[in-house]
């Protein structure tokens, strides 16, 4: 039975992270075929179109964090009118820490078909380059900007055994690494991946404290993905009173309440909170 529906199709386009040679043939096809292209940055889209030698016949409109809520209704109307609407971000997959989720959810609720032209992913690219286990991982997106919320998140993740992946901005990466080191431990293995697939691609590997020091001395630029090793369990030999007291002090220095700091340190070292409390009393 041939459908007589005039409903359009929403197409999610996986954009290259930086190197246009990573664009798939299907990305070129979908960009040329679309009736409407909603782009996170229309200037970057036009540059990509030029690099791919694609001449679109589509109406190009902006679709970014600040206007996403308002533009979703208009794009949904175009889909109801039978248009093929493509959404593309500056790099990677729409809706993954980028604009797109609202429109995808609205299309799902409206019963509108959705398809995807997959492409590069900063998450899996950084994972592969990190040298850490990739069989099980969790993606945490951007850490909260406020110190208290950020510390609470990391405390919740203190015993996460899977490799963790975060996005971060160059302006906040040093503070984030310091907060991670305070909660996860100075020596927790991590990788700072920046400008993936671009000319100045760089991967810095090491313990969290060392990466924080390096980021302060030589601030990384560009788009950053952090990969952090999962918790491997307490090391009993490291649970000395001096080490536990120092760990509590490091957390307190970041603004963490002493009770929360002692709980976090107890989890990290695999000891009771009483042991940590006694270590702190001794140090005081």
């Amino acid at each position: 039975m041939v459908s007589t529906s005039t409903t359009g199709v929403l197409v999610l386009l996986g954009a290259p992270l930086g190197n246009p040679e990573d664009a798939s043939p299907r990305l070129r096809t979908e960009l040329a075929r679309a009736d409407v292209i909603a782009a996170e940055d229309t200037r970057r889209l036009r540059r990509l179109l030029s690099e791919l030698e694609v001449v679109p016949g589509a109406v190009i409109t902006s679709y970014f964090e600040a206007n996403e809520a308002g533009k979703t209704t208009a794009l949904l109307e175009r889909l109801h009118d039978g248009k093929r609407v493509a959404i593309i971000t500056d790099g990677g997959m729409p809706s993954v820490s980028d604009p797109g989720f609202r429109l995808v959810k609205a299309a799902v609720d409206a019963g509108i078909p959705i398809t995807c032209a997959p492409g590069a992913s900063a998450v899996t690219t950084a994972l592969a380059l990190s040298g850490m286990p990739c069989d099980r991982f969790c993606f945490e997106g951007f850490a909260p900007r406020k110190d208290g919320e950020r510390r609470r998140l990391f405390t919740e993740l203190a015993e996460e055994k899977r490799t963790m992946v975060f996005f971060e901005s160059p302006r906040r990466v040093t503070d984030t690494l310091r907060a991670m080191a305070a909660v996860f431990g100075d020596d927790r293995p991590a990788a700072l991946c920046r400008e993936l697939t671009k000319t100045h691609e760089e991967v810095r590997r090491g313990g969290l404290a060392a990466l924080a020091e390096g980021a302060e001395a030589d601030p990384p630029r560009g788009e950053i993905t952090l990969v952090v090793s999962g918790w491997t369990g307490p090391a009993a030999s490291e649970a000395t009173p001096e080490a536990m007291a120092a760990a509590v002090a490091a957390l307190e220095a970041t603004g963490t309440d002493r009770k929360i700091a002692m709980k976090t340190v107890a989890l990290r070292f695999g000891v009771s909170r009483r042991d940590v409390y006694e270590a702190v009393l001794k140090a005081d």
Side-chain angles (χ1 to χ4, degrees):
M1 180 177 179
V2 178
S3 172
T4 58
S5 172
T6 59
T7 301
V9 177
L10 176 62
V11 187
L12 309 181
L13 302 181
L17 300 178
N19 190 332
E21 293 182 8
D22 292 334
S24 69
R26 187 177 171 202
L27 176 62
R28 290 178 168 87
T29 298
E30 293 292 352
L31 286 170
R33 184 183 180 191
D35 298 306
V36 179
I37 302 176
E40 184 177 11
D41 185 330
T42 56
R43 291 170 300 179
R44 291 187 65 163
L45 170 62
R46 293 185 188 282
R47 185 164 63 247
L48 178 64
L49 290 169
S50 175
E51 290 168 336
L52 300 182
E53 299 182 347
V54 172
V55 180
V59 172
I60 295 176
T61 186
S62 65
Y63 190 69
F64 55 96
E65 184 178 2
N67 73 2
E68 186 176 2
K71 282 288 187 77
T72 294
T73 300
L75 292 172
L76 193 63
E77 290 176 356
R78 302 302 298 271
L79 288 164
H80 280 302
D81 289 341
K83 302 301 182 182
R84 193 173 187 88
V85 176
I87 179 169
I88 188 168
T89 65
D90 293 345
M93 186 60 61
S95 80
V96 181
S97 287
D98 272 326
F101 171 76
R102 285 187 178 89
L103 184 55
V104 171
K105 181 65 166 57
V108 169
D109 292 344
I112 292 172
I114 307 170
T115 189
C116 176
S121 165
V123 175
T124 54
T125 301
L127 269 170
L129 291 173
S130 71
M132 292 177 218
C134 303
D135 52 336
R136 297 181 69 239
F137 68 91
C138 60
F139 174 58
E140 294 293 332
F142 285 92
R145 296 187 179 190
K146 295 182 179 179
D147 289 341
E149 294 176 3
R150 185 166 50 201
R151 289 194 301 270
R152 281 193 289 273
L153 171 64
F154 295 158
T155 299
E156 292 173 2
L157 295 171
E159 291 188 275
E160 173 58 64
K161 295 181 179 180
R162 295 171 295 180
T163 301
M164 297 171 282
V165 184
F166 300 83
F167 288 160
E168 194 48 278
S169 78
R171 295 185 304 277
R172 296 190 299 272
V173 69
T174 300
D175 290 339
T176 294
L177 287 167
R178 284 174 176 159
M180 286 178 169
V183 176
F184 299 151
D186 290 349
D187 297 326
R188 178 78 72 92
L192 187 160
C193 308
R194 74 176 189 93
E195 294 293 88
L196 292 172
T197 78
K198 302 177 184 178
T199 302
H200 300 292
E201 176 180 282
E202 179 186 19
V203 180
R204 305 181 186 181
R205 302 176 182 86
L208 286 168
L211 286 176
E213 291 177 4
E216 182 175 18
D218 180 18
R221 299 179 181 180
E223 297 178 341
I224 294 173
T225 305
L226 296 174
V227 184
V228 183
S229 175
W231 187 63
T232 56
S237 61
E238 297 176 1
T240 63
E242 294 78 12
M244 291 188 288
V248 171
L251 281 169
E252 288 186 293
T254 68
T256 303
D257 177 80
R258 174 167 284 195
K259 289 184 177 180
I260 296 176
M262 289 193 292
K263 178 182 178 181
T264 302
V265 171
L267 287 172
R268 186 195 305 174
F269 288 99
V271 299
S272 70
R273 272 181 275 183
R274 180 69 185 180
D275 290 337
V276 178
Y277 174 72
E278 290 178 353
V280 171
L281 280 181
K282 183 179 179 181
D284 289 343

